[in-house]
Amino acid sequence: QEWENTTEREVGKVFQKRAALETQAPSGTVQMASQQQKEEQEWENTTEKRIQGAFKLFDKENKGVVNQEEVPYIMRYLGVYPSEEALVKEILPEMQDDEPTAFVTYQKLKVVLLRLMKTREWEPDPEDVLLQAFRTLDKENKGYIEWDKMKEILTTTDSAPFREKECEQFQRVAVDMDSGHVFYEDYVALVCAGNEQS
């Protein structure tokens, strides 16, 4: 009988400990969920400010709309690089709802960009892919590309060609002013470091 009492007491203690753990687990889970929600809200607030800043660069007259042709530039500025097909067939129509126009409102652009940036669906290519692209253009394996050749490629590409403004910005960052060349390994390292920070 003493053995039976000991076993019942031990079993009772086990159940008490288990019940205590079960009541504590949700509390810890709630705290973790609350922390995660806080972090997600902070990310969303910060990202919204970035989207708004990029939008304002193109909304010169503060009308709350941008030309649909400027959307790819805003997206690239924010590190979102969709294919031309996805942009035309999926992203722009989603931003324009049922009324396709030549303009996109900030509100619609923000909603779509927040989702795309959160899912990281169209992140920039990794460093090795970018380097390979530049090396394809550098047929003589010189380690650089002349600015005139690079500008021609940027302005005549079929998918979202650069305008003069973007060429000037690219030139300021990518071109060595002494030689007039794009030393692409340095440029790719700079771009990839910037992507990691954002």
Side-chain angles (χ1 to χ4, degrees):
Q1 185 166 7
E2 188 176 320
W3 179 81
E4 288 177 6
N5 289 342
T6 305
T7 307
E8 287 175 11
R9 268 185 276 171
E10 288 177 2
V11 170
K13 286 180 183 179
V14 168
F15 281 120
Q16 284 176 343
K17 285 182 182 178
R18 185 172 182 163
L21 288 172
E22 286 174 356
T23 57
Q24 289 174 1
S27 172
T29 305
V30 168
Q31 288 175 350
M32 285 176 56
S34 176
Q35 179 64 26
Q36 186 177 0
Q37 287 173 340
K38 184 179 176 185
E39 289 173 5
E40 286 178 11
Q41 189 60 49
E42 286 176 11
W43 177 87
E44 193 168 309
N45 291 341
T46 303
T47 305
E48 230 175 274
K49 287 177 185 173
R50 288 181 59 215
I51 293 170
Q52 188 174 36
F55 188 87
K56 285 182 178 181
L57 291 173
F58 292 88
D59 182 19
K60 302 278 188 220
E61 297 174 15
N62 292 322
K63 291 185 176 183
V65 297
V66 293
N67 190 307
Q68 72 176 7
E69 293 172 2
E70 294 172 325
V71 170
Y73 302 108
I74 295 171
M75 294 178 80
R76 285 196 301 249
Y77 180 82
L78 294 166
V80 180
Y81 294 84
S83 66
E84 186 68 17
E85 182 179 0
L87 183 69
V88 172
K89 291 183 178 179
E90 299 167 26
I91 297 170
L92 282 174
E94 184 179 352
M95 288 180 181
Q96 296 169 326
D97 271 346
D98 298 330
E99 302 174 26
T101 66
F103 298 96
V104 173
T105 66
Y106 168 72
Q107 207 53 36
K108 290 179 182 176
L109 179 114
K110 178 186 79 171
V111 169
V112 173
L113 275 177
L114 277 172
R115 188 190 80 244
L116 293 176
M117 292 171 79
K118 189 171 190 170
T119 62
R120 299 173 171 239
E121 188 175 345
W122 297 104
E123 281 194 322
D125 291 322
E127 187 171 347
D128 59 329
V129 174
L130 294 173
L131 282 172
Q132 188 56 46
F134 276 108
R135 288 180 181 134
T136 301
L137 300 173
D138 180 18
K139 298 193 186 314
E140 297 171 18
N141 203 21
K142 298 181 283 189
Y144 63 85
I145 299 169
E146 293 83 4
W147 168 241
D148 293 339
K149 180 179 178 183
M150 191 75 226
K151 184 176 180 182
E152 180 184 341
I153 293 166
L154 293 172
T155 56
T156 58
T157 182
D158 289 337
S159 65
F162 276 39
R163 296 179 295 186
E164 191 60 36
K165 178 172 51 173
E166 283 105 18
C167 285
E168 289 170 9
Q169 291 170 344
F170 181 86
Q171 184 179 19
R172 273 198 304 267
V173 175
V175 177
D176 176 66
M177 289 304 157
D178 294 334
S179 65
H181 300 319
V182 177
F183 290 95
Y184 51 83
E185 288 184 3
D186 295 339
Y187 174 69
V188 168
L190 182 69
V191 168
C192 290
N195 287 336
E196 286 172 11
Q197 291 172 2
S198 60

